[in-house]
Amino acid sequence: MGSTLKGRSFLTLKDFTPAEINEFLDLAAALKADKKKGITGNRLKGKNIALIFEKPSTRTRCAFTIGCVDEGGYPEYLGNNDIQLGHKESIEDTARVLGRMFDGIEFRGFKQDTVEKLAKYSKVPVWNGLTDEYHPTQILADFLTLREQFGELKGLKLVFVGDGRNNMANSLMIGSSKVGINFAILAPKSLWPSESLVNTCKVYAAESGSTIEISDDLDLVKGADALYTDVWCSMGEEALAAERIALLTPYQVNSALMARTGKDSSILLHCLPAVKEKEVTEEVFERFADVIFDEAENRMHTIKAVMVATLGE
Ligand code: CP
Ligand code: NVA
């Protein structure tokens, strides 16, 4: 049977089965192994892709660009000041124009609704490179890294520590509950995820035989194979810095919290960029720098896999 991924958009992991998520990961691992041997391909030959960025980016922009060029495609960067998206031209019209010229569109920005409209009106595959609500391509890189570290995902315990209602916490909860990772969010109550998303993910968790826990008790990290943290103020929330520092300082990932896992083998993941001495101490960050930068590199292999699987020949 052929892949079910061809021609699809990648807007949130809610849209993919556990088998499809694993298919992206298997393809990413194969593309990574090839690239290490100096082998790239032509699977995106003749494909033009638009990269729309309302918010800044290092990893996601570079991963889409390099991933596309490695496979023979052409990427065009469209920054916030380059196009009229949603200002002087509607999202619907921009989508219809881009859909006539490009074979695929990446969008990073504020509203999830924008990336969904782009997919609906462009009629080409659209990939979510981060919105306020979700960051699904990041999860594939995180899971590839966990697979490299632990061999398999099912049964691992992953604890997200910090702003438990941000795009990373939401997407990790969706992805983990789908693939069978026991997932937990350690955060103050005012930063817990929406009840409706938790309930959706509990259904996925019941299907995959995993668990979801949400707590403000630091003992939640006991037995964790991996902690995961992210900035306390996501892009667009900079004005909340003082409030977040007050709320989240007790949840800093430091050597005491790492020790509280009770496992010498626990690792730390971070999507980056990191603000040292806020969500993570410099010492803990440096202790896990090798795995964190593997994770950053894996953005490229996994994003390449998403483009190849949905658009490639
Ligand atoms: N992790 C991540 O998405 O990084 P960028 O913001 O640099 O793309
Ligand atoms: N939560 C962060 C993730 C950055 C990759 C943000 O949205 O800024």
Side-chain angles (χ1 to χ4, degrees):
M1 212 178 74
S3 171
T4 50
L5 300 174
K6 214 52 84 196
R8 302 257 300 273
S9 284
F10 188 85
L11 306 179
T12 155
L13 289 175
K14 283 194 251 181
D15 299 336
F16 296 93
T17 64
E20 288 170 339
I21 295 172
N22 282 311
E23 188 180 335
F24 283 125
L25 295 176
D26 291 341
L27 178 59
L31 291 168
K32 180 174 180 175
D34 276 354
K35 173 120 182 175
K36 298 284 173 199
K37 289 186 239 154
I39 303 167
T40 51
N42 273 314
R43 298 169 183 91
L44 297 173
K45 193 172 165 55
K47 305 290 186 193
N48 301 305
I49 69 159
L51 306 178
I52 306 175
F53 280 83
E54 282 182 345
K55 292 177 177 174
S57 164
T58 300
R59 280 146 289 271
T60 309
R61 174 182 178 173
C62 296
F64 271 99
T65 304
I66 303 298
C68 177
V69 170
D70 272 357
E71 289 297 331
Y74 172 79
E76 177 73 11
Y77 179 79
L78 301 168
N80 211 12
N81 295 321
D82 299 326
I83 55 171
Q84 309 280 11
L85 185 73
H87 305 294
K88 279 179 80 180
E89 184 159 30
S90 70
I91 294 157
E92 291 85 342
D93 288 358
T94 307
R96 286 184 284 186
V97 171
L98 295 180
R100 297 291 182 108
M101 299 191 192
F102 289 93
D103 302 288
I105 301 170
E106 179 276 353
F107 171 80
R108 161 171 291 199
F110 293 90
K111 294 189 189 140
Q112 180 69 15
D113 184 57
T114 306
V115 79
E116 284 172 10
K117 275 198 183 125
L118 284 171
K120 181 169 174 200
Y121 288 91
S122 70
K123 302 199 185 318
V124 297
V126 171
W127 308 296
N128 181 353
L130 179 148
T131 60
D132 290 345
E133 219 170 324
Y134 303 121
H135 194 9
T137 62
Q138 177 70 48
I139 308 312
L140 296 182
D142 303 337
F143 287 1
L144 182 61
T145 311
L146 286 171
R147 254 173 48 161
E148 289 168 351
Q149 292 292 317
F150 297 104
E152 72 169 318
L153 300 175
K154 235 180 167 46
L156 291 177
K157 178 173 178 180
L158 172 65
V159 183
F160 179 89
V161 186
D163 176 5
R165 31 105 280 159
N166 77 8
N167 42 19
M168 282 311 313
N170 288 345
S171 288
L172 282 167
M173 181 162 63
I174 298 166
S176 298
S177 57
K178 288 233 172 194
V179 302
I181 294 173
N182 298 311
F183 183 66
I185 291 179
L186 171 58
K189 281 200 179 66
S190 59
L191 294 175
W192 285 6
S194 82
E195 223 178 287
S196 89
L197 185 61
V198 174
N199 288 337
T200 300
C201 292
K202 281 192 171 156
V203 175
Y204 303 148
E207 281 164 13
S208 71
S210 64
T211 56
I212 295 177
E213 292 173 279
I214 310 208
S215 173
D216 56 3
D217 180 347
L218 299 187
D219 273 338
L220 188 65
V221 304
K222 270 208 176 97
D225 298 291
L227 301 191
Y228 196 116
T229 193
D230 181 17
V231 290
W232 288 346
C233 291
S234 288
M235 289 179 272
E237 296 183 337
E238 289 75 11
L240 298 172
E243 183 188 313
R244 289 285 167 78
I245 290 168
L247 264 172
L248 286 166
T249 296
Y251 298 89
Q252 182 187 62
V253 179
N254 50 33
S255 53
L257 194 72
M258 286 305 308
R260 219 163 170 136
T261 66
K263 278 188 172 174
D264 290 338
S265 54
S266 329
I267 62 165
L268 173 70
L269 295 179
H270 195 309
C271 53
L272 303 177
V275 185
K276 318 275 174 65
E277 302 305 330
K278 291 287 188 291
E279 74 270 9
V280 59
T281 58
E282 178 121 33
E283 183 267 314
V284 168
F285 183 88
E286 290 304 328
R287 204 187 322 156
F288 296 102
D290 284 350
V291 65
I292 290 169
F293 290 103
D294 279 351
E295 183 187 4
E297 178 190 325
N298 284 340
R299 297 300 309 290
M300 198 275 284
H301 306 297
T302 46
I303 281 174
K304 189 192 281 182
V306 169
M307 289 189 287
V308 166
T310 56
L311 187 61
E313 302 302 337

